[in-house]
Amino acid sequence: MIKKYRFGNPIPTDSVVIDIAPETAPITIFEADETAKRLRYNLDKKDVVYGLGETIRGINKRGWIYDSWNSDDPNHSEDKHSLYASQNFLIIASCNEGATNKKPIGIYVDDPGRVTFDIGYTDIDVFDIIFEDFDADVYVIEGESVLDIVKQFRHIIGKSYIPPKWAFGFGQCRWSYMTADEIREVVREYKKAGIPLDSVYLDIDYMYRYKDFTIDEAAFPDFENFVKEMKDEGIHLVPIIDAGVKVEDGYDIYEEGMEKDYFCKKENGEVLTAAVWPGRSHFPDFLNDDARKWFGDKYKILLDMGIEGFWNDMNEPAIFYTTDHLAEVFDKIDSYKGKNLDIQSFFEFKGTVASIDNNIEDYKRFYHDYKGQKIRHDKVHNIFGYNMTRAAGEAFERICPDKRILMFSRSSYIGAHRYGGVWCGDNLSWWSHILLNLQQMPGLNMSGFVFSGADVGGFGADATEDLVMRWTQLAIFLPLFRNHSAMGTRRQEYYRFKDIQGFKNLVDLRYALIPYIYDTFMNAVENDAMYAMPLSFIYENDERAWNVYDQLFIGDSIMIAPVYTQNAEGRYVYLPEDMKMIRFRSTEDYDEEVLEKGDHYIQTGLNEVAIFIRKGHKLPLAQPAMRIADIDEKTIKEISYLA
Amino acid sequence: MIKKYRFGNPIPTDSVVIDIAPETAPITIFEADETAKRLRYNLDKKDVVYGLGETIRGINKRGWIYDSWNSDDPNHSEDKHSLYASQNFLIIASCNEGATNKKPIGIYVDDPGRVTFDIGYTDIDVFDIIFEDFDADVYVIEGESVLDIVKQFRHIIGKSYIPPKWAFGFGQCRWSYMTADEIREVVREYKKAGIPLDSVYLDIDYMYRYKDFTIDEAAFPDFENFVKEMKDEGIHLVPIIDAGVKVEDGYDIYEEGMEKDYFCKKENGEVLTAAVWPGRSHFPDFLNDDARKWFGDKYKILLDMGIEGFWNDMNEPAIFYTTDHLAEVFDKIDSYKGKNLDIQSFFEFKGTVASIDNNIEDYKRFYHDYKGQKIRHDKVHNIFGYNMTRAAGEAFERICPDKRILMFSRSSYIGAHRYGGVWCGDNLSWWSHILLNLQQMPGLNMSGFVFSGADVGGFGADATEDLVMRWTQLAIFLPLFRNHSAMGTRRQEYYRFKDIQGFKNLVDLRYALIPYIYDTFMNAVENDAMYAMPLSFIYENDERAWNVYDQLFIGDSIMIAPVYTQNAEGRYVYLPEDMKMIRFRSTEDYDEEVLEKGDHYIQTGLNEVAIFIRKGHKLPLAQPAMRIADIDEKTIKEISYLA
C-alpha cells in the first residue's frame, strides 16, 4: 500500500509515473516537524535500513549521515556524505524471527533539492530526514516483505531501462585511448589473449578539444569507417558525452545553443560560463523540454556514424570553476601575498583553491527554465543529470525506436532508470572498493537502476594484478562489466598482467553465465524484482542472514561471496540453507560440493571463484564465445542442485 | 645469524648499537644490482612479508609498493606509499607445514634517505628494494623462526623505551582543549561518568602563538599550579612539542637558536624559513649534537612545571611552505590569470597550490651539520624526527635519570625506539582504520616500537558512537590507549555518547587488564619479544593461521579478534587450538566457553568484547581503579584455561 504525502509545494521530478492522490490526513509512521523541516522515525535495535542507491558504506545504511546532493567527488572514502546520484528510496526492516511480526516500511522522498538522511548518525536510534526546503512528495509504502515493497515502488516509477544484449559483454575502457590505433591494439591484444570482448569505450580524448559530438580527426581519421571496422570485428565503440558545451566561435553546437537560448543563465540573464574539460563552457538546460530535445537530437550525429552506445558524464554537473568565482579567487589570493601565513591563513588560502571546483555557491549562480518556471539550479540540482540521460533516452526513442541503444550515466535520480543505467563513477583501485561495489548493487536495484556496475579494477590509483583478479570475480556477475582506469595510473587491461589465462578463464565464465545473467536481468526489469540482493531479502526469518553484508544473491538461484581482501586464500561464507558450492577455476575445471547451512571457511585461491546454488535450482552455463552475439544457446549445460 | 653488507658509503644512523663488521663477500639470498641500485628477492607463492613498521595495508606487506619517506599525510588511504615513519625491517617467511623446511629471512635496510620496497607490486612474485642512493648498510638475518629473527634484530638495535606506568592508563586528547577550564571539565565529566582516566593531552593551543616551550597564560593562567591541581586529581597533563621554532624577535628560543647557529640552513648559509603552525619558523638541526642537546634541555622548562610526559609532533618535518617556494607559487598563479583554464591548466593550477606543503623540492633546500659533514636534508630525511625524539630522551636522561618520562613521537626511524614510543599519526574515523590500527602493531613491535597505538575513534573525520565503541574494544589491549580527534570534527570523549556505561565497562576492563598488559609489555622490552603479533608467529605450521590478518595475540596467553565493521553483531574467528573464550560485557559480567580449534562465528554485540585464552594459560584481572596508581595487585583474580 502506497501513500503519498505532500509537504509544501514540491517541484515535480517526473520520477513517479503513476498518479497517486496526496493524502489529506497527516503523515503517520514518520513524525513530521515542519519547523525543523524534518521527518523522524525511531529505530528499533534490530532495524536495518536498506536503500539510498549507490551511496558509500554498507548495504545497511544505519550509522551514517547522507546528503542527497549529486557530487563529482572521486575520493569515495567512508567519511563522505554524497556521491554522484540521489536515489532517495529506503526500506526499514528487521528480521521476523521471534519478533512482533513487524512489517517493513518503504519511503521515497521525491525532492530534487538537497535532502539529508541522518540514519542513526547523530543518535544511533533515530532516523531523521532533513529537508533544505520542506517542499517534497513523500511516499510511504507498507508491504508484506522487503521484496514486496521494492515491487510496489518499482511499479510506480516505471520499467527500468534495458540495454542491447551486447552490453552484457565485457568492455574495456581507459582515460583515454588517444588514437584509433591504440584501440586497434587493445582489440588485437584481447583477441591474442583469447579473452572475450564486446566493447571499447572512448573517453574524452576522442573529441576534438573536448567538444561534444565532434571527433578528433587527426587521432581518429575517417571515424565512420573505423566504427565499421570495429563492428566487423564484433566490437562496439562507446563514446562519452559530457554535460558542458565548449564556448567557441564557429563550434556549431555552441552557436546553435546560443542562438536558440538553450543554455543555463544567471539571474541577470547572461549565460553562465562554467569550466569543464575544454575550459569555458555552457550548460544546456536539460530541464527545459525544447533544450533537452535539441541536445538529444545531437546524439544522432554519432548514431549516424554507426555508434550504438554512449555514456553520459560530468552531469551532476561537475564545475571546475565559474569565471565569476575564479576571478574572486584570484583577488583573494592576492590578499595573501607578503603575509606571514600561519595555521589559519595558510589553510584558508589552500582551501580557497581546493574548493574552487564543485563549489556550492556556483550552484546558486544559475537558473533553469523548468515547466514554465525560472528555478535556481540548487533547488533542482539532483535532477540535472537525470534530464541529460532523458535527453538521450527520449532522442533514441524518436530516432531509432526499434533499436536498443546502450546508455548509462554518472549522475542520476530516480526516473533516469527508465532511460539508462548507471556506473558508480570514479572509484579507486582500493580493495575496499570491491566491497563497496558489491554493497552498492542492492540500493541501485531497489530504486530501478538494474543495469549498473562499477569500474572494475578501480578508476583512480594504481591497481595490482591480484586486485584486478579479485574484482573481476565479482564483476562477472554484475550487469555492467567494464574495466576502466584513469590517466596517470597503472595500465590494467587484462592482457598486461602475468596470469592472462586466469583472466581469460574469468571472462570466459562471464560469457558462459550470460544466459543466467540475461534472464535474471530481464526478470528483474519485467517483474520489478531485484537482480542483486542481500540474503535477508530472501531469508526473512534467519537472524544470521540479516547480518551478512558481503554476499549477494544474483537472482533467486545463485549466491556469490567474492574475496575482497589482499593475500587472502579464501573467506568465510554463511549459507542460509544447504547449498551446492561450485568452485570454478574455469568453465571446464571446477569442483562441486554440497555444504550444509551455516558458516564455512571457503578456500578460494587467486584463480578460483566460488558460487553457491540453492536447492532445487540450477545454473545454466553456455559454451563461452568471444562475443555475446556468438554465444550459442544450444551449447548450454546445466549444473543443478536437485532438491 | 646476522650479516651486515655495506653498499657505497652509508650515512650512519646510530640505529644499530652493536658493532658488526661488514661482510667482505658479496651479499647472498638477495641479488644485488648496483646499476639498478636494487636488491632483489624472488618470492615463493606462499611467502609472506612482515614488517615495515606502521605502514598502511595489511600485516602481510606483499602486493604493494612502499616508499620509506617520512610524510605528514593525514589521509591514510590504501593507495598511499608513505606514512610518518621509516622502519625498514622486514621478514620473509612461509608456513612450514609440509614444506621444504625453508627458514625465514630478516632484512634491515639502514639508510636515512628514500628507499622503495616493491613487494610484489610490479611483479607479484618479486620483492625489490630500490635505493635512491645505493649507500646503505643492509643486515640479513637468518633464524629458526620469525620470533627468533625478531629477537636477534631487536638485540642489535638496543632495548626499547619504557614509559612510566601511568602512561598505560587511558588518555583523552583533542585538538585542542583551549583553556584550563575546558580540561577541568573533561576531567570532571570523566569522573562523573566513573570512567578511569590518567592523562589529558595538550594539543598546540596551550602554547602562546604555537611557540615551543611557552604557555598561553590567558588560557592557562598559573600553569604550574594547574599542573599540580591536575596531578592532585591523579591526572597527568601531556603537552605537544613541535619541530619548528617560530621566527619572532624577542622569543628567547628563536633568539638563542639564531645566536648559537643551531637552525638548519640553506646552501647559501641563510637559515631556512619554513612555515608550520605559527607561520614562519626555523628547524633546529636535531642531527647536530650541540643543537640536539640545546633543544633537549628546553624540555626542562616544562618538566620544572611538573610535566611528566610529552608528545613530539610535526617532526617529519612537516612543512606548510618555505618562503622561497611560496613566492614561486604566487608568481606561477599570476601567470594563470586571464587564461581559459582547461583540463591541463586548471589542474596544474590547483596542483601548484595543493602541493605547496611537504613539497619534495623543499626537502632539498636545506642542510644539516651531521657528524662533521654538511648533508642535504633529503639524504637524511628519515632520521630527523628520530633525532628530535632523541633530543628529548637524552635530555631526560641528563635531567631526571631516575624517572621515567612519557615520550612518543609521530615521525620515527629505528633507533628512536630507545628514546620513545610512537603513535600512528593523524588517522581518520574510518572503520577500516580500526583494522589498520590492529595491522600496524606487529610491524611496529618487530622494529622495537613496543609502546605504540593509534588515535582511538580516529583523529580526522566524524566518528559515530558505535565506531568509537568498537575501536575502544581493540585499543584497551594496546600499550598506548588515547582517544584523540581533530578540530572541526565531532566530539568523541566517551561521556558525550549515549551508552556511557558501555564505555565505562570497556575502560574498566582496560584497567583490570593492566597487570597482564604491563607484564606483557615489560617482557616484550626485556626479552626483545613481541607484544602484539599475528597467529603465524606462534603457530608456524598451521596453514590456516598464516592466512589470518585480523586477529592478534597479545603476549603468549591471549588472542583478540575485535569487530571492525559497522552494524556487525559478531565476526568470524579462527582458533589455532582449543581455546577458552571470555566474552566480556564488563569485568564482572562475562561468559566463558571452551571452543574447539577451527573456525567460529562469534556473536559479540556492541557491548561485548571477546578474548581467547590459550590452554594452560591464565588471564589475571585486577579490580578496576580510576587511576593506574590505584590498581591494587592484591585484588587480582585469574581466569584460567587449565591444560
Side-chain angles (χ1 to χ4, degrees):
Chain A
M1 189 184 55
I2 303 187
K3 287 184 177 171
K4 170 173 163 180
Y5 299 93
R6 175 154 289 179
F7 297 92
N9 295 299
I11 298 170
T13 65
D14 301 345
S15 60
V16 171
V17 294
I18 288 182
D19 207 38
I20 297 171
E23 297 290 312
T24 48
I27 193 166
T28 53
I29 300 175
F30 287 81
E31 171 199 319
D33 183 330
E34 300 269 353
T35 316
K37 301 182 186 175
R38 187 186 68 201
L39 294 177
R40 172 163 291 185
Y41 184 93
N42 292 305
L43 294 164
D44 285 342
K45 281 276 171 271
K46 293 275 180 188
D47 278 344
V48 170
V49 182
Y50 298 110
L52 272 190
E54 73 183 59
T55 46
I56 49 153
R57 297 171 85 102
I59 289 174
N60 182 358
K61 311 315 288 183
R62 190 166 180 171
W64 195 237
I65 183 166
Y66 298 86
D67 264 333
S68 277
W69 182 261
N70 295 356
S71 300
D72 167 33
D73 183 341
N75 191 27
H76 307 173
S77 56
E78 55 181 279
D79 57 335
K80 292 301 169 70
H81 303 287
S82 307
L83 290 182
Y84 310 89
S86 296
Q87 296 133 335
N88 301 339
F89 173 55
L90 305 101
I91 296 176
I92 305 159
S94 54
C95 183
N96 282 322
E97 188 188 296
T100 54
N101 211 24
K102 201 181 146 194
K103 293 275 184 280
I105 299 292
I107 182 162
Y108 172 51
V109 177
D110 190 11
D111 180 339
R114 186 190 291 269
V115 182
T116 299
F117 295 86
D118 181 341
I119 311 175
Y121 165 78
T122 300
D123 180 328
I124 206 163
D125 299 315
V126 176
F127 173 17
D128 278 339
I129 301 169
I130 303 139
F131 297 79
E132 193 167 90
D133 301 309
F134 209 169
D135 296 311
D137 279 332
V138 174
Y139 298 78
V140 177
I141 310 174
E142 292 179 82
E144 283 308 301
S145 66
V146 171
L147 287 176
D148 175 36
I149 290 176
V150 168
K151 198 179 176 78
Q152 290 186 57
F153 177 64
R154 295 265 299 280
H155 177 67
I156 66 165
I157 59 172
K159 285 277 171 276
S160 298
Y161 163 80
I162 299 171
K165 196 165 180 185
W166 59 262
F168 290 86
F170 171 59
Q172 181 62 53
C173 192
R174 173 82 179 175
W175 172 31
S176 296
Y177 298 121
M178 304 300 285
T179 62
D181 277 346
E182 240 193 278
I183 288 175
R184 288 187 182 99
E185 184 195 326
V186 170
V187 173
R188 193 167 56 239
E189 289 295 329
Y190 270 107
K191 194 172 184 177
K192 203 170 100 191
I195 299 176
L197 179 74
D198 265 270
S199 51
V200 178
Y201 288 79
L202 300 172
D203 210 320
I204 55 174
D205 295 283
Y206 81 90
M207 292 182 270
Y208 185 59
R209 295 190 181 167
Y210 315 113
K211 288 186 284 188
D212 276 337
F213 309 111
T214 68
I215 304 292
D216 182 337
E217 289 288 343
F220 294 86
D222 196 358
F223 188 70
E224 194 168 346
N225 257 325
F226 178 56
V227 174
K228 185 175 180 309
E229 172 193 332
M230 285 294 113
K231 208 176 293 174
D232 289 345
E233 293 251 19
I235 299 296
H236 297 82
L237 295 180
V238 184
I240 197 168
I241 305 293
D242 286 335
V245 171
K246 187 175 197 294
V247 173
E248 188 181 270
D249 289 334
Y251 170 34
D252 54 353
I253 295 180
Y254 160 72
E255 290 188 339
E256 252 183 64
M258 286 301 287
E259 188 192 309
K260 296 176 191 259
D261 201 17
Y262 284 157
F263 294 127
C264 293
K265 284 177 289 195
K266 299 193 285 188
E267 188 159 24
N268 65 8
E270 285 173 19
V271 174
L272 176 88
T273 302
V276 277
W277 302 119
R280 293 171 194 144
S281 304
H282 294 331
F283 292 127
D285 187 356
F286 297 113
L287 275 67
N288 176 276
D289 293 341
D290 297 331
R292 189 167 66 245
K293 178 171 184 305
W294 166 74
F295 191 86
D297 283 339
K298 298 301 170 198
Y299 287 83
K300 190 164 185 299
I301 297 168
L302 291 159
L303 289 170
D304 286 346
M305 293 180 179
I307 293 296
E308 297 174 321
F310 304 88
W311 44 312
N312 281 348
D313 196 14
M314 304 289 281
N315 50 358
E316 294 73 27
I319 297 179
F320 293 173
Y321 58 87
T322 58
T323 48
D324 293 341
H325 181 56
L326 188 65
E328 293 161 12
V329 167
F330 282 131
D331 285 348
K332 181 84 184 154
I333 290 173
D334 282 342
S335 77
Y336 292 113
K337 288 181 181 171
K339 291 198 178 140
N340 176 26
L341 300 185
D342 63 4
I343 168 178
Q344 279 85 14
S345 47
F346 176 69
F347 287 104
E348 194 184 83
F349 161 55
K350 276 199 75 177
T352 299
V353 176
S355 66
I356 293 177
D357 38 336
N358 307 317
N359 190 290
I360 176 67
E361 294 307 316
D362 279 334
Y363 293 109
K364 298 178 183 171
R365 285 183 202 260
F366 63 105
Y367 290 77
H368 296 276
D369 174 10
Y370 184 46
K371 295 182 190 284
Q373 280 192 294
K374 180 178 170 183
I375 300 180
R376 202 173 71 187
H377 174 80
D378 59 311
K379 303 298 177 191
V380 289
H381 175 71
N382 293 333
I383 57 171
F384 184 81
Y386 155 25
N387 278 286
M388 182 187 178
T389 302
R390 187 175 173 182
E394 289 174 341
F396 302 154
E397 193 58 37
R398 286 192 301 275
I399 298 165
C400 43
D402 297 326
K403 187 170 181 180
R404 286 187 189 147
I405 303 293
L406 173 61
M407 162 54 55
F408 58 89
S409 171
R410 194 169 72 181
S411 178
S412 69
Y413 185 88
I414 290 170
H417 70 285
R418 299 191 298 269
Y419 304 101
V422 294
W423 95 103
C424 299
D426 298 343
N427 59 4
L428 291 153
S429 297
W430 289 359
W431 288 86
S432 56
H433 280 188
I434 302 178
L435 182 58
L436 178 64
N437 185 181
L438 182 153
Q439 294 180 326
Q440 286 174 321
M441 299 313 294
L444 281 167
N445 289 184
M446 284 168 64
S447 52
F449 294 90
V450 188
F451 189 74
S452 51
D455 286 341
V456 177
F459 178 70
D462 291 319
T464 56
E465 178 162 359
D466 53 350
L467 174 127
V468 177
M469 185 75 83
R470 289 303 195 185
W471 204 320
T472 301
Q473 291 170 1
L474 163 65
I476 56 173
F477 297 99
L478 305 181
L480 172 57
F481 172 33
R482 179 177 79 151
N483 177 331
H484 187 24
S485 58
M487 192 172 285
T489 65
R490 185 179 188 178
R491 295 267 170 179
Q492 63 191 41
E493 293 85 4
Y494 292 142
Y495 56 79
R496 293 181 190 272
F497 293 110
K498 283 178 86 171
D499 186 12
I500 293 172
Q501 182 66 43
F503 285 109
K504 172 176 164 52
N505 291 343
L506 290 175
V507 185
D508 276 350
L509 182 55
R510 161 65 169 213
Y511 280 64
L513 286 163
I514 284 292
Y516 183 79
I517 287 171
Y518 194 70
D519 282 0
T520 302
F521 179 87
M522 293 304 282
N523 175 64
V525 171
E526 282 162 13
N527 298 306
D528 296 327
M530 298 290 289
Y531 177 88
M533 64 196 135
L535 281 54
S536 54
F537 280 31
I538 299 175
Y539 304 88
E540 300 173 65
N541 297 312
D542 179 346
E543 288 253 21
R544 261 301 278 123
W546 280 75
N547 205 231
V548 176
Y549 297 118
D550 60 356
Q551 305 173 197
L552 288 179
F553 267 82
I554 302 297
D556 287 331
S557 298
I558 71 164
M559 185 177 81
I560 61 168
V563 171
Y564 53 87
T565 52
Q566 193 165 28
N567 296 314
E569 288 164 15
R571 57 159 286 179
Y572 289 104
V573 178
Y574 174 70
L575 303 187
E577 60 178 307
D578 294 357
M579 299 183 94
K580 182 189 266 190
M581 174 180 74
I582 318 292
R583 186 163 35 203
F584 288 102
R585 283 164 292 281
S586 76
T587 55
E588 300 300 323
D589 177 17
Y590 53 83
D591 48 281
E592 306 181 34
E593 188 180 351
V594 171
L595 297 171
E596 282 183 6
K597 171 182 159 81
D599 296 299
H600 298 266
Y601 182 84
I602 304 291
Q603 291 276 356
T604 39
L606 194 48
N607 278 315
E608 293 179 319
V609 50
I611 66 154
F612 304 86
I613 305 179
R614 284 175 88 181
K615 199 180 279 187
H617 290 245
K618 53 198 176 189
L619 176 68
L621 276 186
Q623 186 70 29
M626 287 297 283
R627 306 287 179 257
I628 291 290
D630 296 335
I631 294 172
D632 182 356
E633 298 267 330
K634 289 198 295 290
T635 64
I636 291 175
K637 63 179 180 182
E638 281 175 352
I639 305 178
S640 54
Y641 178 25
L642 300 177
Chain B
M1 188 185 56
I2 304 187
K3 286 184 178 171
K4 171 174 162 180
Y5 298 93
R6 176 155 288 178
F7 297 93
N9 294 298
I11 298 169
T13 66
D14 301 347
S15 59
V16 171
V17 295
I18 288 181
D19 208 38
I20 298 171
E23 297 290 312
T24 48
I27 192 166
T28 53
I29 300 175
F30 287 80
E31 171 199 319
D33 182 332
E34 301 269 352
T35 314
K37 300 182 186 175
R38 186 185 70 201
L39 294 177
R40 171 163 291 184
Y41 184 93
N42 292 305
L43 294 164
D44 285 341
K45 280 277 171 268
K46 293 274 180 190
D47 278 344
V48 170
V49 182
Y50 299 110
L52 272 190
E54 73 184 59
T55 45
I56 49 152
R57 298 171 85 103
I59 289 174
N60 182 357
K61 311 316 287 184
R62 190 167 180 172
W64 195 236
I65 182 166
Y66 299 86
D67 263 334
S68 277
W69 182 261
N70 295 355
S71 300
D72 166 33
D73 184 341
N75 191 28
H76 307 172
S77 55
E78 56 181 279
D79 57 336
K80 292 301 169 71
H81 304 287
S82 307
L83 290 182
Y84 310 91
S86 296
Q87 296 133 337
N88 302 339
F89 173 56
L90 305 100
I91 297 175
I92 304 158
S94 54
C95 183
N96 282 322
E97 187 187 297
T100 53
N101 210 26
K102 202 182 147 194
K103 294 274 184 281
I105 300 291
I107 181 162
Y108 173 51
V109 177
D110 191 10
D111 180 339
R114 187 190 290 267
V115 183
T116 299
F117 295 86
D118 181 341
I119 312 175
Y121 164 78
T122 300
D123 180 328
I124 208 162
D125 300 315
V126 175
F127 173 16
D128 277 339
I129 302 170
I130 304 138
F131 297 79
E132 192 167 272
D133 302 308
F134 210 169
D135 296 311
D137 279 331
V138 174
Y139 299 78
V140 176
I141 310 175
E142 292 179 81
E144 282 309 301
S145 66
V146 171
L147 287 175
D148 174 37
I149 290 176
V150 169
K151 198 179 175 79
Q152 290 187 58
F153 177 64
R154 295 263 300 279
H155 177 68
I156 67 165
I157 59 172
K159 285 277 171 277
S160 298
Y161 163 80
I162 299 171
K165 195 166 181 182
W166 60 261
F168 290 85
F170 171 59
Q172 180 63 53
C173 191
R174 173 81 180 174
W175 171 32
S176 296
Y177 298 122
M178 303 299 285
T179 63
D181 278 346
E182 239 193 279
I183 288 175
R184 287 186 182 100
E185 185 195 325
V186 169
V187 172
R188 194 167 57 239
E189 290 294 329
Y190 269 107
K191 194 172 185 177
K192 204 170 101 190
I195 299 176
L197 179 74
D198 264 271
S199 51
V200 177
Y201 288 78
L202 300 172
D203 210 320
I204 54 174
D205 295 283
Y206 81 91
M207 292 181 272
Y208 185 60
R209 296 190 180 168
Y210 316 113
K211 288 185 284 188
D212 276 340
F213 308 111
T214 68
I215 305 290
D216 181 337
E217 288 287 343
F220 294 86
D222 197 357
F223 187 70
E224 194 168 347
N225 256 324
F226 178 56
V227 174
K228 185 176 181 307
E229 173 193 330
M230 286 294 111
K231 207 176 294 174
D232 290 346
E233 292 251 21
I235 300 295
H236 298 80
L237 295 179
V238 184
I240 197 168
I241 305 293
D242 286 335
V245 171
K246 186 175 198 294
V247 173
E248 186 181 271
D249 288 336
Y251 170 35
D252 53 353
I253 295 179
Y254 160 72
E255 290 189 339
E256 252 182 64
M258 287 300 287
E259 189 191 308
K260 296 175 190 260
D261 201 17
Y262 285 158
F263 294 127
C264 294
K265 283 177 290 195
K266 299 192 285 187
E267 188 160 25
N268 65 8
E270 284 173 20
V271 174
L272 176 88
T273 301
V276 277
W277 304 119
R280 293 171 194 144
S281 303
H282 294 331
F283 293 127
D285 187 356
F286 296 113
L287 276 65
N288 176 277
D289 293 342
D290 297 332
R292 188 167 66 245
K293 179 173 184 303
W294 166 75
F295 191 86
D297 284 340
K298 299 301 170 198
Y299 287 83
K300 190 166 185 298
I301 295 169
L302 290 160
L303 290 168
D304 285 347
M305 292 180 178
I307 293 296
E308 296 173 322
F310 304 88
W311 45 313
N312 281 349
D313 197 13
M314 303 290 282
N315 50 359
E316 294 73 27
I319 297 178
F320 292 174
Y321 58 88
T322 59
T323 48
D324 294 339
H325 181 55
L326 189 65
E328 294 160 11
V329 167
F330 282 132
D331 286 348
K332 180 84 184 153
I333 290 174
D334 282 341
S335 77
Y336 293 113
K337 288 182 181 171
K339 293 200 178 136
N340 176 27
L341 300 185
D342 63 4
I343 168 177
Q344 280 85 13
S345 47
F346 176 69
F347 287 105
E348 193 183 84
F349 161 55
K350 276 200 76 177
T352 298
V353 176
S355 65
I356 293 178
D357 38 337
N358 306 317
N359 189 291
I360 176 66
E361 293 307 315
D362 279 335
Y363 293 109
K364 297 178 182 170
R365 287 183 201 260
F366 64 104
Y367 290 78
H368 296 276
D369 174 10
Y370 184 47
K371 296 183 188 283
Q373 280 192 293
K374 179 179 171 183
I375 301 180
R376 202 173 72 185
H377 174 81
D378 60 310
K379 303 297 176 192
V380 288
H381 175 70
N382 294 333
I383 59 171
F384 184 80
Y386 155 25
N387 278 286
M388 182 188 178
T389 301
R390 187 175 174 183
E394 289 173 342
F396 302 154
E397 191 58 35
R398 287 193 302 275
I399 297 163
C400 44
D402 298 325
K403 188 170 178 179
R404 287 185 188 149
I405 303 293
L406 173 61
M407 162 54 55
F408 57 89
S409 172
R410 193 168 72 180
S411 178
S412 69
Y413 185 89
I414 291 169
H417 70 286
R418 299 191 299 269
Y419 304 102
V422 294
W423 95 102
C424 299
D426 298 342
N427 59 5
L428 290 153
S429 296
W430 289 358
W431 288 86
S432 56
H433 280 187
I434 301 178
L435 182 60
L436 178 64
N437 184 181
L438 180 153
Q439 293 180 326
Q440 286 174 321
M441 300 313 293
L444 282 167
N445 287 185
M446 284 167 64
S447 53
F449 294 90
V450 188
F451 188 74
S452 52
D455 287 341
V456 177
F459 178 70
D462 292 318
T464 56
E465 178 162 1
D466 54 349
L467 173 127
V468 178
M469 186 75 84
R470 290 302 195 185
W471 203 320
T472 301
Q473 291 170 2
L474 163 64
I476 56 173
F477 297 99
L478 305 181
L480 171 57
F481 173 32
R482 179 176 82 150
N483 177 331
H484 187 24
S485 58
M487 191 173 287
T489 65
R490 185 178 187 178
R491 294 266 171 180
Q492 64 190 43
E493 293 86 5
Y494 292 141
Y495 55 79
R496 293 182 190 270
F497 293 110
K498 282 177 87 171
D499 186 12
I500 294 172
Q501 183 64 44
F503 285 108
K504 172 177 164 51
N505 290 343
L506 291 175
V507 185
D508 276 351
L509 182 55
R510 161 66 169 213
Y511 280 63
L513 286 163
I514 284 292
Y516 182 79
I517 289 170
Y518 194 70
D519 281 1
T520 303
F521 179 88
M522 293 304 281
N523 175 65
V525 171
E526 283 162 13
N527 298 307
D528 297 325
M530 297 291 288
Y531 177 88
M533 64 196 136
L535 280 54
S536 53
F537 281 31
I538 299 175
Y539 303 88
E540 300 173 65
N541 297 312
D542 179 347
E543 289 253 21
R544 261 300 278 122
W546 279 75
N547 205 232
V548 176
Y549 297 117
D550 61 356
Q551 305 174 198
L552 288 179
F553 266 82
I554 303 296
D556 287 331
S557 298
I558 70 165
M559 186 178 79
I560 62 169
V563 171
Y564 53 87
T565 52
Q566 192 164 29
N567 296 313
E569 288 165 15
R571 58 160 285 180
Y572 290 104
V573 178
Y574 175 70
L575 303 188
E577 60 178 304
D578 293 356
M579 299 184 94
K580 181 188 267 191
M581 174 181 73
I582 317 292
R583 184 163 36 202
F584 287 103
R585 283 164 292 281
S586 75
T587 55
E588 300 299 322
D589 177 18
Y590 53 83
D591 48 282
E592 306 181 32
E593 188 181 352
V594 172
L595 297 171
E596 283 184 5
K597 170 182 160 79
D599 296 298
H600 298 265
Y601 182 83
I602 304 291
Q603 291 277 356
T604 39
L606 194 48
N607 279 313
E608 293 179 319
V609 49
I611 66 155
F612 304 86
I613 304 178
R614 283 176 88 181
K615 199 180 278 186
H617 291 245
K618 53 199 175 187
L619 176 68
L621 277 185
Q623 187 69 32
M626 288 296 283
R627 306 287 178 256
I628 292 290
D630 296 334
I631 293 171
D632 182 355
E633 300 266 329
K634 290 198 295 288
T635 64
I636 291 175
K637 63 179 180 182
E638 281 174 351
I639 305 178
S640 54
Y641 177 27
L642 299 177

